[in-house]
Amino acid sequence: MDQTFWQLLALAPPGWGGVLLTGLAHSLEIAVGGYLLGLILGVGGAVGKLYGNEIVRDLMETYTIVVRAVPELVLILLLYYAGTDALNRLMAALGRSPVDISGLAAGIFVIGVVQGAYATEVIRGAIKAIPAGEIEAGRAYGMPGGLLLRRVTLPAMLPHALPGLANLWLIATKDTALLAVVGFSELTLVTRQAAGATKHYMLFFLAAGALYLALTLVSNIAIARIEKWARRGMPQVHA
Amino acid sequence: MSAPSPLRGWLRPHRLVMLALALGIVLWAVLAGDWAWLPKYTPLLLKGLGTTLAILAESVILGAAVALPIGLVQVTGPRWLSAPAQLFCTVIRGTPLLLQLWLLYYGIGSLFPMIPGIRGSFLWPYLREAWPYGLAALTISFAAYEGEVMRGAFAGVPRGELQAGRAFGMSPLKLFWRIWLPRALYRALPTLNGEMVLQLKSTPLVATITVVDLYGVISRVRSATLLTYEPLLLLALIYLILTALMVAIFRFFENRLPTRGA
């Protein structure tokens, strides 16, 4: 029995181990890409919410409320179809031939938009936690907005934002599984295919679970290190 | 509260423009979209909504019931109880819900028929259906996330209050019922709203194992009518309303509870 299990999980083609690892790689690509896009959207959203005019603030508020209230699965379907459709209509309007959007790009876009809404709230809270004097000092030195953001606001908010951002990373890795529903061959979908083909459902789902869990645990170790680095020089806090 | 008229403060000129724009978009979606399917599917949609709400309520109640002991043993239990509870929380929170759901439905579900005699047992009618697996997966997930919250809540009850109870000669059980549990629930309550919204947003996953919830009905509409946007937009709107209702209900109860900070 054990023999066949290892044969099924073997990396070479008769076994499905290689397929699972490729799926994990796809999941990781989307998670990393979506997370980075989400961070960019989050910084933009937070700055817009805190320093924008009334219209910008209300638009950001609408974005975060809608994205956080609608299930990720529904958003993924909507953005996946609407996103590709809108892009192709734009291309048609510009007189170009329709482009075939890769599942990877669409997946990164979708996860990024979802992550961006949560990241906006995390970063907004973190920026508000910075002592006002630090930002005022920067302004008093005549720093322009962009430089102030890069040199003062973002580094100073990092320790406050890290727990929330770390959580978001873990959510991003798990949200990639939802792309299985739109047929993107990430880890969960290839697992189901492998399980369906071999009828060894338990084996493959448990194997995929172990991969996801390993990703989470490795991430936790990395997060602990990053947090320690970001909090250097700050007083110790006991939770 | 402090503003003389909250509505006047809220309805500023730019908001009126944005409202008009939003209404225009809704109107455009209603007029330009194809909604002929809606009357035919309304009964099914209502049934799907019922299924979604039922699964949400059941999984939250069952999950919270499991979460209490899981949180408690991690704070006060012996090692042989706290270690498995911690492992449970880590494993469930570290893997995607969709994977857990499929593991239960396809994996465990495929093992059951191999057990001799199970087809004759009273359990078989349930094991053959999809929703028990969906409910089980959602319950386990809620128990793990809420268990983590309860752990923090139990640990966060000030020592002095427990010591005071002990000084009054309360038995450990009475101390638990009278002081520790109520105080912990009190601390966990504000997070419950967020957890329930997250749980609501997880319920559509059960449609992937053929449970016909709200999302399942919409998928059926989409494959029957070949429409892409209209059903999905309606679905998003329904979830938005459900979330808003949930937040409003919780806010109502939170305002009635006399809380002082957290």
Side-chain angles (χ1 to χ4, degrees):
Chain A
M1 203 64 176
D2 273 357
Q3 195 63 41
T4 58
F5 278 3
W6 289 117
Q7 277 168 6
L8 280 168
L9 287 175
L11 291 178
W16 289 82
V19 178
L20 289 197
L21 287 183
T22 318
L24 178 66
H26 283 306
S27 286
L28 264 177
E29 276 173 67
I30 290 194
V32 171
Y35 187 66
L36 290 180
L37 179 61
L39 277 185
I40 295 168
L41 288 177
V43 170
V47 169
K49 264 194 178 182
L50 286 172
Y51 306 116
N53 60 27
E54 288 185 323
I55 298 172
V56 172
R57 261 186 285 158
D58 281 358
L59 282 177
M60 293 303 158
E61 199 67 43
T62 317
Y63 164 57
T64 52
I65 285 178
V66 169
V67 170
R68 294 191 306 157
V70 176
E72 280 81 359
L73 189 59
V74 179
L75 280 177
I76 281 172
L77 283 180
L78 261 177
L79 291 175
Y80 199 83
Y81 293 121
T84 48
D85 196 45
L87 196 63
N88 274 336
R89 278 192 195 176
L90 185 75
M91 289 311 235
L94 292 174
R96 307 254 179 89
S97 56
V99 285
D100 195 25
I101 297 165
S102 70
L104 184 69
I108 287 176
F109 171 69
V110 169
I111 297 287
V113 169
V114 174
Q115 287 271 314
Y118 289 91
T120 296
E121 293 300 316
V122 170
I123 294 172
R124 188 183 64 101
I127 291 179
K128 281 182 83 172
I130 305 173
E134 294 186 14
I135 295 173
E136 278 165 14
R139 281 213 192 100
Y141 272 102
M143 278 190 186
L147 190 67
L148 185 69
L149 191 70
R150 213 175 64 233
R151 286 244 182 105
V152 181
T153 312
L154 290 186
M157 67 105 203
L158 199 58
H160 303 292
L162 265 179
L165 293 181
N167 236 343
L168 281 181
W169 162 249
L170 295 178
I171 292 174
T173 58
K174 287 183 287 168
D175 268 359
T176 57
L178 297 178
L179 290 168
V181 177
V182 290
F184 183 75
S185 57
E186 46 65 64
L187 182 53
T188 303
L189 187 65
V190 297
T191 303
R192 192 176 158 184
Q193 287 162 350
T198 58
K199 301 290 171 214
H200 283 271
Y201 288 100
M202 287 302 278
L203 172 70
F204 281 110
F205 281 125
L206 286 177
L211 285 178
Y212 277 114
L213 195 60
L215 179 57
T216 301
L217 295 179
V218 170
S219 300
N220 278 341
I221 295 171
I223 288 163
R225 285 222 176 144
I226 295 173
E227 253 177 72
K228 204 172 153 199
W229 167 79
R231 298 195 70 92
R232 69 203 184 281
M234 294 181 80
Q236 291 280 320
V237 278
H238 296 286
Chain B
M1 263 192 286
S2 53
S5 163
L7 196 63
R8 275 277 287 284
W10 194 82
L11 279 177
R12 288 200 291 276
H14 77 282
R15 288 224 167 99
L16 288 177
V17 175
M18 286 174 68
L19 261 181
L21 265 176
L23 277 178
I25 292 174
V26 170
L27 210 64
W28 173 78
V30 169
L31 293 178
D34 180 2
W35 298 95
W37 50 273
L38 197 51
K40 190 181 149 200
Y41 282 97
T42 304
L44 207 57
L45 274 174
L46 288 177
K47 216 176 142 205
L49 179 65
T51 308
T52 293
L53 292 179
I55 282 197
L56 173 68
E58 288 163 7
S59 66
V60 164
I61 291 168
L62 290 175
V66 180
L68 274 184
I70 284 179
L72 189 63
V73 297
Q74 285 186 65
V75 176
T76 185
R79 183 108 187 93
W80 58 272
L81 274 177
S82 68
Q86 210 170 348
L87 186 71
F88 170 79
C89 286
T90 310
V91 168
I92 298 297
R93 293 174 354 124
T95 52
L97 178 57
L98 187 64
L99 190 81
Q100 297 160 16
L101 187 66
W102 287 358
L103 173 74
L104 280 183
Y105 183 64
Y106 295 109
I108 308 243
S110 71
L111 292 183
F112 277 130
M114 294 179 196
I115 303 172
I118 199 165
R119 279 168 200 274
S121 80
F122 71 100
L123 280 172
W124 184 242
Y126 296 104
L127 293 176
R128 233 175 25 185
E129 291 211 35
W131 67 262
Y133 298 97
L135 181 59
L138 284 173
T139 301
I140 289 170
S141 156
F142 192 76
Y145 283 94
E146 195 59 27
E148 201 68 18
V149 173
M150 285 315 299
R151 183 184 63 82
F154 278 122
V157 174
R159 295 292 111 188
E161 297 186 15
L162 299 179
Q163 283 161 0
R166 240 171 259 140
F168 271 104
M170 283 188 182
S171 69
L173 205 63
K174 191 177 243 179
L175 187 74
F176 177 73
W177 283 116
R178 288 253 180 103
I179 300 176
W180 212 5
L181 181 65
R183 290 288 285 141
L185 285 180
Y186 220 71
R187 299 176 71 90
L189 211 57
T191 62
L192 190 63
N193 186 11
E195 293 284 330
M196 269 184 76
V197 171
L198 288 180
Q199 184 76 352
L200 170 72
K201 299 201 305 172
S202 306
T203 54
L205 289 181
V206 298
T208 62
I209 58 165
T210 73
V211 177
V212 186
D213 71 329
L214 196 58
Y215 177 88
V217 175
I218 292 288
S219 314
R220 205 180 271 188
V221 172
R222 285 180 55 216
S223 57
T225 59
L226 299 178
L227 292 170
T228 309
Y229 296 114
E230 289 89 344
L232 281 178
L233 284 176
L234 180 71
L235 185 63
L237 183 70
I238 296 176
Y239 278 115
L240 258 176
I241 294 171
L242 285 181
T243 307
L245 276 179
M246 211 187 271
V247 171
I249 292 171
F250 264 91
R251 198 155 290 167
F252 175 74
F253 280 114
E254 262 169 40
N255 286 343
R256 296 187 51 162
L257 280 175
T259 34
R260 245 192 299 147

mmCIF file of all heavy atoms in Angstrom, chain A residues 127-160:
data_model
loop_
_atom_site.group_PDB
_atom_site.id
_atom_site.type_symbol
_atom_site.label_atom_id
_atom_site.label_comp_id
_atom_site.label_asym_id
_atom_site.label_seq_id
_atom_site.Cartn_x
_atom_site.Cartn_y
_atom_site.Cartn_z
ATOM 1 N N ILE A 127 -0.933 54.195 9.318
ATOM 2 C CA ILE A 127 -0.470 55.578 9.136
ATOM 3 C C ILE A 127 -1.017 56.455 10.249
ATOM 4 O O ILE A 127 -0.330 57.337 10.782
ATOM 5 C CB ILE A 127 -0.889 56.111 7.749
ATOM 6 C CG1 ILE A 127 -0.110 55.392 6.650
ATOM 7 C CG2 ILE A 127 -0.632 57.616 7.649
ATOM 8 C CD1 ILE A 127 -0.464 55.833 5.250
ATOM 9 N N LYS A 128 -2.273 56.172 10.633
ATOM 10 C CA LYS A 128 -2.856 56.984 11.705
ATOM 11 C C LYS A 128 -2.171 56.750 13.047
ATOM 12 O O LYS A 128 -2.260 57.580 13.946
ATOM 13 C CB LYS A 128 -4.360 56.684 11.822
ATOM 14 C CG LYS A 128 -5.167 57.393 10.768
ATOM 15 C CD LYS A 128 -6.617 57.131 10.939
ATOM 16 C CE LYS A 128 -7.226 58.056 11.975
ATOM 17 N NZ LYS A 128 -8.703 57.900 11.984
ATOM 18 N N ALA A 129 -1.486 55.600 13.162
ATOM 19 C CA ALA A 129 -0.819 55.292 14.423
ATOM 20 C C ALA A 129 0.540 55.985 14.540
ATOM 21 O O ALA A 129 1.156 55.977 15.603
ATOM 22 C CB ALA A 129 -0.650 53.783 14.572
ATOM 23 N N ILE A 130 1.026 56.570 13.442
ATOM 24 C CA ILE A 130 2.305 57.290 13.507
ATOM 25 C C ILE A 130 2.096 58.572 14.294
ATOM 26 O O ILE A 130 1.111 59.280 14.056
ATOM 27 C CB ILE A 130 2.802 57.658 12.093
ATOM 28 C CG1 ILE A 130 2.897 56.411 11.218
ATOM 29 C CG2 ILE A 130 4.135 58.372 12.148
ATOM 30 C CD1 ILE A 130 3.229 56.739 9.773
ATOM 31 N N PRO A 131 3.013 58.885 15.230
ATOM 32 C CA PRO A 131 2.890 60.163 15.926
ATOM 33 C C PRO A 131 2.874 61.309 14.906
ATOM 34 O O PRO A 131 3.727 61.360 14.019
ATOM 35 C CB PRO A 131 4.152 60.227 16.792
ATOM 36 C CG PRO A 131 4.548 58.809 16.971
ATOM 37 C CD PRO A 131 4.104 58.079 15.731
ATOM 38 N N ALA A 132 1.881 62.210 15.028
ATOM 39 C CA ALA A 132 1.690 63.257 14.019
ATOM 40 C C ALA A 132 2.942 64.110 13.854
ATOM 41 O O ALA A 132 3.229 64.592 12.759
ATOM 42 C CB ALA A 132 0.498 64.121 14.396
ATOM 43 N N GLY A 133 3.698 64.258 14.943
ATOM 44 C CA GLY A 133 4.875 65.121 14.899
ATOM 45 C C GLY A 133 5.888 64.681 13.860
ATOM 46 O O GLY A 133 6.560 65.505 13.244
ATOM 47 N N GLU A 134 6.005 63.361 13.657
ATOM 48 C CA GLU A 134 7.006 62.863 12.716
ATOM 49 C C GLU A 134 6.708 63.358 11.305
ATOM 50 O O GLU A 134 7.600 63.772 10.570
ATOM 51 C CB GLU A 134 7.041 61.332 12.741
ATOM 52 C CG GLU A 134 7.535 60.788 14.078
ATOM 53 C CD GLU A 134 7.708 59.275 14.062
ATOM 54 O OE1 GLU A 134 7.714 58.680 12.974
ATOM 55 O OE2 GLU A 134 7.834 58.707 15.158
ATOM 56 N N ILE A 135 5.415 63.280 10.932
ATOM 57 C CA ILE A 135 5.044 63.720 9.589
ATOM 58 C C ILE A 135 5.137 65.242 9.494
ATOM 59 O O ILE A 135 5.611 65.799 8.506
ATOM 60 C CB ILE A 135 3.626 63.222 9.245
ATOM 61 C CG1 ILE A 135 3.638 61.697 9.181
ATOM 62 C CG2 ILE A 135 3.141 63.799 7.931
ATOM 63 C CD1 ILE A 135 2.289 61.067 9.020
ATOM 64 N N GLU A 136 4.727 65.919 10.571
ATOM 65 C CA GLU A 136 4.803 67.385 10.579
ATOM 66 C C GLU A 136 6.249 67.848 10.460
ATOM 67 O O GLU A 136 6.546 68.833 9.769
ATOM 68 C CB GLU A 136 4.184 67.938 11.869
ATOM 69 C CG GLU A 136 2.671 68.029 11.781
ATOM 70 C CD GLU A 136 2.026 68.214 13.137
ATOM 71 O OE1 GLU A 136 2.752 68.537 14.112
ATOM 72 O OE2 GLU A 136 0.810 68.017 13.234
ATOM 73 N N ALA A 137 7.155 67.125 11.120
ATOM 74 C CA ALA A 137 8.568 67.492 11.031
ATOM 75 C C ALA A 137 9.041 67.413 9.588
ATOM 76 O O ALA A 137 9.750 68.290 9.100
ATOM 77 C CB ALA A 137 9.400 66.571 11.924
ATOM 78 N N GLY A 138 8.624 66.337 8.908
ATOM 79 C CA GLY A 138 9.001 66.189 7.509
ATOM 80 C C GLY A 138 8.486 67.347 6.678
ATOM 81 O O GLY A 138 9.206 67.920 5.857
ATOM 82 N N ARG A 139 7.214 67.709 6.938
ATOM 83 C CA ARG A 139 6.627 68.824 6.191
ATOM 84 C C ARG A 139 7.368 70.117 6.484
ATOM 85 O O ARG A 139 7.601 70.934 5.601
ATOM 86 C CB ARG A 139 5.163 69.011 6.584
ATOM 87 C CG ARG A 139 4.263 68.019 5.922
ATOM 88 C CD ARG A 139 2.887 68.592 5.632
ATOM 89 N NE ARG A 139 2.041 67.461 5.268
ATOM 90 C CZ ARG A 139 1.191 66.888 6.102
ATOM 91 N NH1 ARG A 139 1.006 67.383 7.310
ATOM 92 N NH2 ARG A 139 0.504 65.846 5.728
ATOM 93 N N ALA A 140 7.731 70.276 7.764
ATOM 94 C CA ALA A 140 8.401 71.509 8.159
ATOM 95 C C ALA A 140 9.740 71.654 7.434
ATOM 96 O O ALA A 140 10.205 72.755 7.180
ATOM 97 C CB ALA A 140 8.620 71.517 9.669
ATOM 98 N N TYR A 141 10.367 70.506 7.108
ATOM 99 C CA TYR A 141 11.614 70.563 6.367
ATOM 100 C C TYR A 141 11.379 70.809 4.887
ATOM 101 O O TYR A 141 12.313 70.808 4.092
ATOM 102 C CB TYR A 141 12.397 69.262 6.547
ATOM 103 C CG TYR A 141 13.286 69.289 7.748
ATOM 104 C CD1 TYR A 141 12.926 68.655 8.917
ATOM 105 C CD2 TYR A 141 14.503 69.973 7.703
ATOM 106 C CE1 TYR A 141 13.737 68.683 10.029
ATOM 107 C CE2 TYR A 141 15.322 70.020 8.806
ATOM 108 C CZ TYR A 141 14.946 69.367 9.968
ATOM 109 O OH TYR A 141 15.750 69.410 11.055
ATOM 110 N N GLY A 142 10.106 70.937 4.498
ATOM 111 C CA GLY A 142 9.785 71.241 3.112
ATOM 112 C C GLY A 142 9.817 70.030 2.195
ATOM 113 O O GLY A 142 10.009 70.154 0.996
ATOM 114 N N MET A 143 9.652 68.834 2.767
ATOM 115 C CA MET A 143 9.635 67.643 1.914
ATOM 116 C C MET A 143 8.381 67.649 1.052
ATOM 117 O O MET A 143 7.291 67.887 1.558
ATOM 118 C CB MET A 143 9.602 66.386 2.775
ATOM 119 C CG MET A 143 10.942 65.955 3.296
ATOM 120 S SD MET A 143 10.778 64.311 4.022
ATOM 121 C CE MET A 143 12.401 64.106 4.717
ATOM 122 N N PRO A 144 8.533 67.364 -0.246
ATOM 123 C CA PRO A 144 7.333 67.192 -1.068
ATOM 124 C C PRO A 144 6.621 65.890 -0.692
ATOM 125 O O PRO A 144 7.223 65.003 -0.081
ATOM 126 C CB PRO A 144 7.871 67.128 -2.492
ATOM 127 C CG PRO A 144 9.301 66.752 -2.358
ATOM 128 C CD PRO A 144 9.766 67.235 -1.015
ATOM 129 N N GLY A 145 5.343 65.772 -1.088
ATOM 130 C CA GLY A 145 4.511 64.649 -0.658
ATOM 131 C C GLY A 145 5.121 63.290 -0.900
ATOM 132 O O GLY A 145 5.140 62.439 -0.012
ATOM 133 N N GLY A 146 5.638 63.072 -2.125
ATOM 134 C CA GLY A 146 6.168 61.759 -2.473
ATOM 135 C C GLY A 146 7.355 61.387 -1.608
ATOM 136 O O GLY A 146 7.451 60.265 -1.104
ATOM 137 N N LEU A 147 8.249 62.353 -1.430
ATOM 138 C CA LEU A 147 9.448 62.092 -0.631
ATOM 139 C C LEU A 147 9.064 61.818 0.817
ATOM 140 O O LEU A 147 9.600 60.901 1.461
ATOM 141 C CB LEU A 147 10.369 63.317 -0.711
ATOM 142 C CG LEU A 147 11.766 63.125 -0.121
ATOM 143 C CD1 LEU A 147 12.561 62.137 -0.948
ATOM 144 C CD2 LEU A 147 12.498 64.460 -0.049
ATOM 145 N N LEU A 148 8.111 62.599 1.308
ATOM 146 C CA LEU A 148 7.636 62.426 2.684
ATOM 147 C C LEU A 148 7.092 61.011 2.869
ATOM 148 O O LEU A 148 7.379 60.325 3.857
ATOM 149 C CB LEU A 148 6.547 63.453 2.975
ATOM 150 C CG LEU A 148 5.995 63.503 4.406
ATOM 151 C CD1 LEU A 148 7.042 64.027 5.348
ATOM 152 C CD2 LEU A 148 4.760 64.373 4.459
ATOM 153 N N LEU A 149 6.311 60.565 1.871
ATOM 154 C CA LEU A 149 5.722 59.231 1.936
ATOM 155 C C LEU A 149 6.825 58.180 1.989
ATOM 156 O O LEU A 149 6.787 57.255 2.797
ATOM 157 C CB LEU A 149 4.829 59.023 0.712
ATOM 158 C CG LEU A 149 3.925 57.801 0.716
ATOM 159 C CD1 LEU A 149 2.821 57.980 1.737
ATOM 160 C CD2 LEU A 149 3.329 57.567 -0.658
ATOM 161 N N ARG A 150 7.828 58.362 1.107
ATOM 162 C CA ARG A 150 8.865 57.348 0.981
ATOM 163 C C ARG A 150 9.804 57.345 2.171
ATOM 164 O O ARG A 150 10.223 56.304 2.651
ATOM 165 C CB ARG A 150 9.644 57.627 -0.312
ATOM 166 C CG ARG A 150 10.152 56.365 -0.972
ATOM 167 C CD ARG A 150 10.812 56.650 -2.297
ATOM 168 N NE ARG A 150 11.996 57.462 -2.150
ATOM 169 C CZ ARG A 150 12.219 58.598 -2.826
ATOM 170 N NH1 ARG A 150 11.333 59.028 -3.683
ATOM 171 N NH2 ARG A 150 13.326 59.284 -2.657
ATOM 172 N N ARG A 151 10.142 58.546 2.666
ATOM 173 C CA ARG A 151 11.174 58.616 3.696
ATOM 174 C C ARG A 151 10.616 58.515 5.105
ATOM 175 O O ARG A 151 11.284 58.026 6.000
ATOM 176 C CB ARG A 151 11.907 59.958 3.584
ATOM 177 C CG ARG A 151 12.836 60.031 2.420
ATOM 178 C CD ARG A 151 14.267 60.176 2.884
ATOM 179 N NE ARG A 151 15.137 60.298 1.734
ATOM 180 C CZ ARG A 151 15.689 61.444 1.352
ATOM 181 N NH1 ARG A 151 15.443 62.541 2.036
ATOM 182 N NH2 ARG A 151 16.476 61.468 0.321
ATOM 183 N N VAL A 152 9.389 59.027 5.308
ATOM 184 C CA VAL A 152 8.877 59.094 6.681
ATOM 185 C C VAL A 152 7.658 58.195 6.879
ATOM 186 O O VAL A 152 7.685 57.249 7.661
ATOM 187 C CB VAL A 152 8.512 60.548 7.072
ATOM 188 C CG1 VAL A 152 7.998 60.586 8.511
ATOM 189 C CG2 VAL A 152 9.708 61.456 6.898
ATOM 190 N N THR A 153 6.598 58.474 6.118
ATOM 191 C CA THR A 153 5.326 57.829 6.433
ATOM 192 C C THR A 153 5.406 56.315 6.284
ATOM 193 O O THR A 153 5.049 55.582 7.201
ATOM 194 C CB THR A 153 4.215 58.386 5.516
ATOM 195 O OG1 THR A 153 4.300 59.803 5.529
ATOM 196 C CG2 THR A 153 2.869 57.956 6.006
ATOM 197 N N LEU A 154 5.879 55.845 5.125
ATOM 198 C CA LEU A 154 5.878 54.397 4.906
ATOM 199 C C LEU A 154 6.797 53.656 5.876
ATOM 200 O O LEU A 154 6.364 52.670 6.479
ATOM 201 C CB LEU A 154 6.220 54.078 3.443
ATOM 202 C CG LEU A 154 5.126 54.465 2.439
ATOM 203 C CD1 LEU A 154 5.482 53.975 1.043
ATOM 204 C CD2 LEU A 154 3.782 53.906 2.850
ATOM 205 N N PRO A 155 8.054 54.093 6.058
ATOM 206 C CA PRO A 155 8.880 53.355 7.024
ATOM 207 C C PRO A 155 8.311 53.416 8.447
ATOM 208 O O PRO A 155 8.376 52.433 9.172
ATOM 209 C CB PRO A 155 10.235 54.076 6.957
ATOM 210 C CG PRO A 155 10.218 54.819 5.690
ATOM 211 C CD PRO A 155 8.804 55.140 5.376
ATOM 212 N N ALA A 156 7.727 54.548 8.810
ATOM 213 C CA ALA A 156 7.243 54.678 10.183
ATOM 214 C C ALA A 156 5.981 53.862 10.413
ATOM 215 O O ALA A 156 5.726 53.405 11.518
ATOM 216 C CB ALA A 156 6.981 56.149 10.514
ATOM 217 N N MET A 157 5.189 53.666 9.348
ATOM 218 C CA MET A 157 3.955 52.915 9.566
ATOM 219 C C MET A 157 4.196 51.416 9.524
ATOM 220 O O MET A 157 3.376 50.636 9.982
ATOM 221 C CB MET A 157 2.885 53.315 8.547
ATOM 222 C CG MET A 157 3.159 52.946 7.122
ATOM 223 S SD MET A 157 2.170 51.558 6.568
ATOM 224 C CE MET A 157 3.124 50.933 5.225
ATOM 225 N N LEU A 158 5.351 51.007 8.978
ATOM 226 C CA LEU A 158 5.588 49.583 8.736
ATOM 227 C C LEU A 158 5.401 48.710 9.985
ATOM 228 O O LEU A 158 4.686 47.706 9.918
ATOM 229 C CB LEU A 158 6.980 49.383 8.136
ATOM 230 C CG LEU A 158 7.192 48.051 7.420
ATOM 231 C CD1 LEU A 158 6.178 47.887 6.311
ATOM 232 C CD2 LEU A 158 8.593 47.929 6.875
ATOM 233 N N PRO A 159 6.009 49.066 11.125
ATOM 234 C CA PRO A 159 5.807 48.179 12.279
ATOM 235 C C PRO A 159 4.341 48.050 12.689
ATOM 236 O O PRO A 159 3.919 46.987 13.115
ATOM 237 C CB PRO A 159 6.618 48.846 13.399
ATOM 238 C CG PRO A 159 7.339 49.959 12.810
ATOM 239 C CD PRO A 159 6.916 50.168 11.406
ATOM 240 N N HIS A 160 3.578 49.124 12.524
ATOM 241 C CA HIS A 160 2.162 49.045 12.898
ATOM 242 C C HIS A 160 1.382 48.203 11.905
ATOM 243 O O HIS A 160 0.406 47.560 12.261
ATOM 244 C CB HIS A 160 1.546 50.447 12.949
ATOM 245 C CG HIS A 160 2.252 51.373 13.880
ATOM 246 N ND1 HIS A 160 2.231 51.202 15.238
ATOM 247 C CD2 HIS A 160 3.015 52.456 13.646
ATOM 248 C CE1 HIS A 160 2.948 52.159 15.793
ATOM 249 N NE2 HIS A 160 3.440 52.931 14.848
#
